[in-house]
């Protein structure tokens, strides 16, 4: 008999990270923010590299740019972030447009312009945004789709710093980022404009984080509001700060302007008499699934408000970050969701059932709230009963420049909409560089003007219309033409190659591995959710709808040759606090995919989508 105490069970070995050699970085457009130097992965050996696959139309990609700022600053001597620009829209494949976007959104790391999606394909990326981590020896060690993953990446970075510091394979020092020379223009990528009661213009000078009042000539500066430094502070005209402000709306009494302070996730108020700035709504934090959707305005998180308009006594908010419309009630100082489910797409009907895709422009008339739904390239409207209707547009993947009957007309990522005196609507058709017109009386779409550079808004001034030419950094005055401009019709679809899948059974696998030091959050029930649908709906014979499992058996209709699978996945994880802390930090991981598929004999029977981790099958 042995009276010795039993030996303690060995601690479980840490999960070994998969190691896959990182493919080379290739992009026909070359490198930006590097002082014209071209880089290969070999040049970055010894550094921790984070690849950010993004496209500048995508609000989730813009959220990730903002999330990465702190990581870049904190680990600037070990981490190199590389933006890999992978276009969705035709306009986004233009090199100059990428150059503009890099400056517009304050991207302070090197960017590889990949217009043909070469690197996207090499890394098997399926969604914007996707983050890929490469260790100092050139191996891929993690992949994350969607936003909200930077906390997990930072933990991995700290592990890699310790591991490769001990091995002698970590190289510290300055990164390859070289800032471009600033341009001395009056405005820099202005977003929206507003005609003030005195005849002057207020413009959101987005990239300079200010509001600018221009004289009636739309050129001479009268006043500037905001310090010009990215921040979130109330106060006088010179002390207050904004972060990439966009939409502007005049208060009903005409004494103030309501501002969509986009990257601060807030609504601000500008007092026109004093120039003082205060906060009406938002906390400065971004809204996540599970957060409050109504309540006292200063206590509820918002998500990238892009435009505002006064309609029916309330301030309506184009909440681009969550594909919804919200309202702010000045009388009760509360906010609430008015329309949209947070699912991304184009679905009409009662507000609570409607789907939007990055609504970015609003204009109110007596009986309609018009909106530019940018990612569906659509013009839509809300009636007085809160029902949502579509005037122009068919969905996420069809866009172009085509006039004629609204049912077959095409726009390309419009950001602004303006009500005209005759009941028609002008649309700032941003990626077509055009001003378009929709006439509800005839159901026809026409082109009012071309050769505008990324128009993002327009305001009516007498018989003229003043257009915000965002990428020309100016306001441009046009006479409203009696006859529409004729343009050659062009139609496009999303540029991504379709994935070949076999007809019949298809296993959809969403890969999620809780980051190191975290576990799935099951305190309030299942911690995961999967929503699946398709375009056309007939593509799916089985597997549509919502459930809590991240794997699902689908059945594809052999009679449908091709289509798009729409997949939305969510997983919640919390810090694994072994010390028994009462309130461990929790995180939501979420991503929407639109996967073009082509049914073919011999195609894949499994479709893996990586939410976080590595697909090791």
């Amino acid at each position: 008999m042995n009276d010795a105490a039993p030996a303690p069970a060995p601690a479980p070995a840490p999960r070994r990270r998969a190691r896959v050699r990182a493919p080379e970085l290739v992009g026909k457009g070359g490198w930006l923010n590097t002082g014209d130097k071209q880089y290969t992965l070999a040049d970055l050996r010894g550094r921790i590299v984070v690849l950010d696959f993004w496209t500048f139309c995508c609000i989730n990609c813009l959220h990730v740019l903002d999330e990465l700022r702190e990581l870049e600053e904190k680990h600037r001597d070990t981490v190199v972030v590389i933006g890999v620009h992978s276009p969705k829209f035709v306009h986004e494949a233009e090199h100059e447009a990428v150059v503009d976007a890099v400056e517009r959104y304050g991207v302070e790391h090197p960017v590889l312009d990949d217009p043909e999606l070469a690197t996207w394909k090499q890394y098997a990326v399926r969604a914007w945004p996707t983050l890929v981590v490469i260790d100092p020896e050139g191996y891929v060690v993690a992949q994350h789709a969607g936003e909200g993953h930077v906390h997990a990446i930072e933990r991995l970075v700290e592990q890699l710093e310790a591991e490769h510091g001990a091995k002698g394979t970590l190289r510290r020092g300055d990164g390859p980022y070289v800032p471009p020379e600033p341009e001395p223009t009056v405005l820099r990528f202005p977003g929206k404009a507003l005609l003030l009661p005195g005849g002057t213009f207020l413009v959101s000078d987005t990239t300079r984080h200010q509001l600018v009042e221009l004289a009636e000539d739309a050129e001479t500066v009268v006043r500037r509001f905001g310090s010009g430094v990215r921040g979130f502070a109330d106060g006088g005209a010179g002390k207050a700060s904004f972060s990439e402000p966009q939409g502007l709306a005049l208060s009903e009494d005409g004494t103030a302007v309501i501002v969509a302070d986009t990257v601060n996730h807030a609504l601000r108020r500008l007092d026109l008499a004093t120039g003082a700035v205060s906060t009406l709504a938002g906390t400065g934090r971004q809204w996540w699934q599970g957060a409050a959707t109504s309540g006292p305005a200063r206590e509820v998180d918002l998500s990238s408000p892009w435009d505002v308009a006064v309609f029916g006594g309330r301030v309506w908010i184009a909440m681009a970050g969550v594909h919804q419309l919200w309202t702010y009630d000045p009388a009760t100082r509360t906010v609430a969701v008015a329309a949209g489910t947070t699912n991304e797409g184009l679905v009409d009907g009662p507000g609570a059932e409607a789907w939007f895709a990055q609504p970015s422009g609003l204009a109110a008339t007596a009986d309609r709230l018009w909106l530019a739904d940018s990612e569906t390239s659509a013009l839509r409207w809300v009636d007085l009963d809160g029902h949502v209707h579509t005037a122009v547009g068919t969905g996420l993947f069809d866009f172009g420049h085509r006039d004629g009957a609204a049912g077959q007309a095409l726009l390309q990522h419009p950001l602004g909409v303006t009500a005209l005196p005759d009941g028609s609507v002008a649309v700032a058709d941003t990626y077509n560089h055009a001003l378009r017109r929709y006439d509800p009386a005839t159901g026809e779409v026409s082109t009012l003007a071309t050769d505008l550079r990324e128009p993002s808004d327009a305001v009516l001034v007498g018989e003229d219309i003043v257009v915000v030419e965002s990428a020309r950094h100016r306001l441009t005055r046009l006479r409203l033409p009696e006859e529409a401009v004729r343009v050659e019709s062009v139609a496009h679809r999303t540029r991504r190659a379709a994935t070949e899948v076999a007809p019949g059974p298809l296993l959809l696998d969403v890969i999620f591995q809780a980051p190191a030091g975290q576990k799935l959050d099951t305190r309030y029930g299942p911690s995961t959710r999967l929503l699946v649908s398709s375009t056309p709906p007939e593509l799916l014979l089985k597997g549509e709808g919502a459930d809590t499992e991240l794997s699902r058996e689908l059945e594809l209709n052999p009679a449908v040759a091709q289509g798009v699978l729409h997949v939305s996945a969510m997983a919640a994880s919390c810090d694994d606090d072994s010390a028994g802390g009462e309130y461990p930090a929790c995180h939501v991981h979420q991503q929407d995919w639109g996967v073009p598929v082509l049914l073919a004999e011999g195609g894949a029977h499994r479709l893996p989508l990586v939410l976080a981790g590595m697909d090791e099958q």
Side-chain angles (χ1 to χ4, degrees):
M1 186 173 178
N2 187 349
D3 293 329
R15 188 176 68 211
R16 183 175 177 81
R17 285 192 298 270
R19 283 165 61 87
V20 177
R21 177 63 70 180
E24 190 52 81
L25 303 178
V26 179
K28 189 175 181 181
W31 290 81
L32 306 175
N33 280 358
T34 62
D36 295 327
K37 183 174 179 179
Q38 308 298 299
Y39 280 88
T40 66
L41 278 176
D43 299 322
L44 304 172
R45 193 63 53 81
R47 310 300 292 273
I48 301 164
V49 177
V50 178
L51 301 182
D52 174 19
F53 288 87
W54 69 300
T55 189
F56 63 77
C57 72
C58 161
I59 191 66
N60 310 92
C61 298
L62 303 186
H63 289 166
V64 168
L65 287 176
D66 201 48
E67 290 176 3
L68 286 170
R69 295 184 203 281
E70 186 175 346
L71 176 75
E72 292 179 87
E73 179 63 29
K74 187 174 179 180
H75 299 273
R76 63 192 317 170
D77 65 334
T78 58
V79 172
V80 175
V81 176
I82 304 287
V84 182
H85 189 270
S86 313
K88 171 186 174 180
F89 290 98
V90 170
H91 169 60
E92 293 174 304
E94 298 174 13
H95 182 69
E96 283 307 311
V98 180
V99 173
D100 285 346
V102 167
E103 181 188 350
R104 179 196 300 269
Y105 297 116
V107 180
E108 296 185 353
H109 51 246
V111 173
L112 176 65
D113 181 13
D114 182 19
E116 297 176 346
L117 303 180
T119 297
W120 165 285
K121 294 170 187 172
Q122 287 294 311
Y123 281 82
V125 174
R126 297 185 186 274
W128 297 278
T130 291
L131 295 168
V132 175
V133 182
I134 302 172
D135 74 12
E137 294 179 291
Y139 290 91
V140 174
V141 292
Q143 182 172 327
H144 301 266
E147 51 184 299
H149 298 294
V150 171
H151 68 280
I153 291 174
E154 179 160 15
R155 285 199 175 193
L156 177 57
V157 163
E158 290 169 350
Q159 292 176 5
L160 292 172
E161 287 175 339
E163 177 184 332
H164 289 273
K167 289 171 64 176
T169 50
L170 183 69
R171 178 167 57 91
R172 295 179 179 269
D174 292 334
Y177 170 64
V178 178
E181 288 293 323
E183 296 287 340
T185 52
V186 171
L187 302 172
R188 203 68 191 163
F189 297 105
K192 305 288 185 181
L194 176 68
L195 183 66
L196 295 178
T200 58
F201 298 90
L202 188 68
V203 185
S204 52
D205 195 12
T206 304
T207 299
R208 294 205 177 117
H209 314 296
Q210 289 183 318
L211 308 179
V212 180
E213 184 179 358
L214 299 179
E216 294 180 23
D217 63 5
E219 296 179 3
T220 306
V221 175
V222 177
R223 290 186 290 178
R224 288 185 179 269
F225 307 94
S227 65
V229 176
R230 184 191 299 272
F232 188 15
D234 291 341
K239 292 186 177 180
S241 55
F242 301 93
S243 187
E244 299 182 29
Q246 287 281 349
L248 307 167
L250 194 65
S251 64
E252 287 196 301
D253 63 7
T255 64
V257 172
I258 300 132
V259 182
D261 194 6
T262 304
V263 178
N264 278 329
H265 311 296
L267 289 192
R268 314 292 293 282
R269 180 185 186 274
L270 170 67
D271 188 301
L272 289 172
T274 66
V277 175
S278 55
T279 299
L280 294 176
T283 63
R285 297 183 301 271
Q286 182 184 337
W287 186 93
W288 287 99
Q289 290 287 352
T293 55
S294 64
R298 292 292 303 273
E299 299 174 16
V300 177
D301 300 338
L302 309 182
S303 183
S304 297
W306 208 275
D307 203 5
V308 282
V310 177
F311 178 63
R314 293 177 293 169
V315 178
W316 286 66
I317 309 163
M319 203 73 80
V322 285
H323 317 299
Q324 290 181 312
L325 301 179
W326 287 42
T327 58
Y328 167 74
D329 187 335
T332 61
R333 298 183 182 180
T334 56
V335 292
V337 174
T341 64
T342 75
N343 293 321
E344 185 178 12
L346 193 154
V347 177
D348 290 341
E353 301 173 10
W355 291 23
F356 302 97
Q358 216 168 298
S360 300
L362 299 175
T365 65
D367 60 353
R368 293 187 182 187
L369 178 71
W370 292 98
L371 67 113
D373 202 26
S374 62
E375 281 292 284
T376 54
S377 297
L379 172 66
R380 307 176 73 185
W381 54 280
V382 182
D383 63 27
L384 291 171
D385 294 325
H387 282 66
V388 178
H389 311 259
T390 297
V392 183
T394 58
L396 287 163
F397 302 99
D398 295 291
F399 53 91
H401 192 152
R402 181 194 286 155
D403 287 339
Q408 57 84 53
L410 294 173
L411 310 170
Q412 187 180 177
H413 198 81
L415 290 179
V417 59
T418 306
L420 300 179
D422 63 356
S424 67
V425 183
V427 180
D429 193 6
T430 309
Y431 288 2
N432 279 327
H433 310 298
L435 190 67
R436 311 287 292 283
R437 176 177 177 264
Y438 167 68
D439 187 350
T442 64
E444 294 285 311
V445 175
S446 57
T447 299
L448 295 175
T450 57
D451 193 32
L452 302 166
R453 188 68 184 169
E454 292 193 17
S456 54
D457 196 18
V459 293
L460 197 63
V461 185
E463 296 182 355
D464 294 343
I465 193 164
V466 175
V467 180
V468 180
E469 276 199 273
S470 187
R472 284 198 177 115
H473 319 292
R474 70 188 189 192
L475 303 189
T476 299
R477 187 182 296 264
L478 303 172
R479 178 55 55 94
L480 281 172
E482 294 181 9
E483 299 295 329
V485 178
R486 289 200 171 274
V487 297
E488 185 176 344
S489 295
V490 180
H492 300 291
R493 282 187 66 81
T494 299
R495 301 168 58 86
R496 287 174 293 168
T499 299
E500 288 195 359
V501 294
L506 176 70
L507 178 63
L508 172 65
D509 254 346
V510 174
I511 312 301
F512 178 75
Q513 297 161 357
Q518 294 183 25
K519 61 182 179 181
L520 288 175
D521 179 13
T522 56
R523 292 173 299 166
Y524 308 109
S527 60
T528 56
R529 180 176 182 269
L530 180 64
L531 176 68
V532 180
S533 61
S534 66
T535 302
E538 299 78 30
L539 174 63
L540 272 178
L541 296 176
K542 174 186 167 187
E544 184 179 12
D547 203 345
T548 58
E549 296 295 324
L550 291 182
S551 286
R552 188 179 303 178
E553 190 80 36
L554 310 181
E555 186 174 346
L556 303 184
N557 188 348
V560 178
Q562 60 184 354
V564 178
L565 290 174
H566 305 283
V567 181
S568 178
M570 185 273 287
S573 64
C574 287
D575 291 351
D576 187 2
D577 190 350
S578 57
E582 188 177 356
Y583 300 108
C586 296
H587 313 274
V588 175
H589 314 257
Q590 182 176 348
Q591 175 59 22
D592 297 329
W593 291 269
V595 183
V597 293
L598 180 67
L599 273 64
E601 294 299 333
H605 290 277
R606 176 176 177 265
L607 177 61
L609 300 175
V610 178
L611 179 60
M614 297 282 287
D615 179 23
E616 298 174 3
Q617 290 195 33

